């Protein structure tokens, strides 16, 4: 369980280490470690796909992007997302699939297929209108693959795909915008948390198999974070004061445990020539929340942009003035991290220990010869 008023508030040396890691890579051209980055997921990594959909789940207005050099782009953040920051791999953040300009040479560094409100289950998030589900994102990748087949030989394409990295961030919407909404979705009446986690994992495994069959070989699969600690969940008042909503955090446990186990199974010989990595988002984010000063944070229980209790009852609306000290906030809006928090998550995924990424980290994944 996560204590929102945790211990060890001061750890200057650790703050310096994280700051140096961050400053040492931002703004510098990195050596190319992967042929391309393919991003699939939800609003945590959507970089503009929902701008092209009939959807209520959009972030193409100020103050989203207030600290991003291009302003509001559809990113649910004040600046860069988790997958953007993984340009440490030497590959620029890939363009959104839904943008008509994403074609030709623009796809040679990868494509972002992620969609706000999209989930592993097709029905998750449907109350927001159009969104691109996991199933459709895999179909969209096949469309991109068709274009690539016209641009390189079969042998070169096989090598290109094998040296690519797939970043997959799924599951949060299946809880936030499905399981935790009993008035709109029936899943919590038919499935206990263990059964629901198994349902998600079965669907997820099916599409991972499809992507493997299409030639992808290096996968980073992010677990679900402690969604019971988001300003939106804190604003419900269902938790003990000063703590996250533990009952919600416990719901995602079976999914995360199962995803880590699935990674072990896939690496056990059933998918030769491939490597699957589990990203312990829950553990890393929990460390940020329990030890905020270690990472330079001061505010962990309120959104930088939002209204109501914990600034999480109404999420960031157009032209709402955000907080000024954004680097000191863990949460940007009711659901999503700030760029500063995304930076910690990315750094731990990229170069962290096996506690952060199992069995290897993203940097090691990129260097792996399969």
């Amino acid at each position: 369980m996560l204590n929102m008023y945790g211990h060890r508030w001061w750890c200057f040396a650790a703050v310096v280490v994280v700051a140096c890691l961050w400053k040492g890579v931002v703004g510098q051209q990195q050596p190319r470690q992967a042929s391309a980055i393919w991003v699939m997921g939800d609003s945590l990594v959507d970089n503009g796909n929902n701008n092209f959909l009939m959807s209520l789940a959009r972030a193409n207005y100020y103050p989203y992007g207030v600290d991003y050099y291009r302003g509001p782009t559809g990113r649910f953040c004040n600046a860069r997302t988790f997958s953007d920051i993984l340009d440490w791999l030497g590959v620029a953040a890939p363009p959104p699939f839904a943008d008509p300009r994403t074609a030709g040479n623009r796809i040679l560094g990868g494509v972002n297929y992620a969609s706000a409100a999209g989930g592993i289950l097709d029905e998750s998030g449907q109350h927001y209108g159009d969104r691109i589900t996991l199933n459709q994102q895999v179909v969209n990748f096949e469309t991109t693959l068709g274009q690539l087949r016209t641009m390189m030989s079969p042998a070169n394409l096989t090598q290109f795909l094998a040296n690519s990295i797939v970043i997959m961030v799924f599951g949060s919407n299946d809880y936030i915008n499905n399981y935790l909404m009993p008035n709109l979705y029936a899943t919590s009446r038919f499935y206990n948390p263990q059964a629901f986690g198994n349902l998600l994992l079965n669907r997820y495994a099916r599409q991972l198999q499809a992507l493997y069959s299409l030639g992808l070989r290096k996968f980073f699969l992010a677990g679900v974070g402690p969604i019971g600690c988001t300003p939106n969940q804190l604003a419900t008042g269902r938790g003990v004061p000063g703590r996250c909503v533990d009952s919600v955090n416990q719901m995602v446990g079976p999914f995360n445990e199962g995803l880590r186990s699935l990674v072990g199974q896939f690496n056990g010989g059933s998918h030769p020539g491939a490597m699957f990595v589990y990203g312990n988002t829950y553990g890393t984010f929990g460390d940020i929340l329990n030890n905020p000063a270690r990472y330079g944070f001061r505010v962990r229980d309120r959104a930088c942009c939002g209204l109501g209790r914990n600034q999480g009852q109404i999420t960031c609306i157009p032209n709402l003035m955000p907080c000024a000290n954004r680097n000191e906030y863990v949460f940007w809006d009711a659901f999503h991290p700030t760029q500063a928090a995304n930076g910690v998550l990315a750094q731990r995924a990229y170069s962290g220990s096996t506690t952060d990424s199992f069995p290897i980290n993203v940097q090691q994944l990129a260097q792996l010869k399969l």
Side-chain angles (χ1 to χ4, degrees), residues 136-292:
Q136 187 60 47
Q137 288 182 41
V138 173
V139 171
N140 290 347
F141 173 74
E142 293 185 71
T143 298
T144 301
L145 195 54
Q147 296 177 53
L148 290 171
R149 290 190 180 109
T150 69
M151 301 171 69
M152 58 185 76
S153 69
N156 287 344
L157 179 57
T158 296
Q159 192 65 31
F160 175 78
L161 294 175
N163 290 329
S164 299
I165 290 182
V166 193
I167 306 295
M168 303 190 73
V169 182
F170 282 102
S172 294
N173 278 310
D174 296 290
Y175 289 95
I176 295 172
N177 290 309
N178 186 331
Y179 197 71
L180 291 169
M181 287 189 165
N183 292 333
L184 295 179
Y185 300 91
T187 46
S188 62
R189 295 196 294 273
F190 293 112
Y191 301 95
N192 62 30
Q194 183 67 58
F196 188 65
N198 289 341
L199 173 69
L200 298 180
L201 291 164
N202 288 336
R203 302 286 179 86
Y204 206 176
R206 190 181 308 162
Q207 294 303 345
L208 290 172
Q209 177 62 47
L211 293 171
Y212 173 82
S213 299
L214 292 170
L216 294 171
R217 292 295 180 264
K218 296 182 178 182
F219 296 81
F220 177 83
L221 311 177
V224 174
I227 56 179
C229 301
T230 61
N232 176 262
Q233 285 298 310
L234 296 179
T236 65
R238 291 198 297 263
V240 176
R243 297 190 68 88
C244 301
V245 183
D246 292 327
S247 60
V248 172
N249 282 342
Q250 290 164 6
M251 287 178 187
V252 305
F255 175 80
N256 284 336
E257 293 162 9
L259 185 59
R260 192 181 190 280
S261 177
L262 185 66
V263 161
Q265 293 174 30
F266 277 20
N267 290 335
S270 60
H271 294 73
M275 174 59 72
F276 295 80
V277 173
Y278 169 70
N280 185 15
T281 309
Y282 190 98
T284 301
F285 214 91
D287 191 34
I288 293 172
L289 292 171
N290 282 334
N291 305 286

Side-chain angles (χ1 to χ4, degrees), residues 51-120:
N51 294 351
F52 301 89
L53 304 180
M54 296 295 292
S55 174
L56 296 175
R58 289 194 183 195
N60 57 345
Y61 55 82
Y62 176 87
Y64 286 103
V66 62
D67 299 311
Y68 192 58
Y69 76 102
R70 289 172 52 203
T73 57
R75 289 167 166 83
F76 287 74
C77 189
N78 59 307
R80 300 205 298 167
T81 68
F82 169 80
S83 60
D84 289 332
I85 297 168
L86 288 177
D87 62 5
W88 294 339
L89 291 165
V91 183
F97 174 84
D99 187 334
R101 298 171 296 175
T102 301
N105 289 339
R106 284 173 59 88
I107 69 175
L108 290 178
V111 174
N112 185 310
Y113 304 91
S115 173
I120 296 172

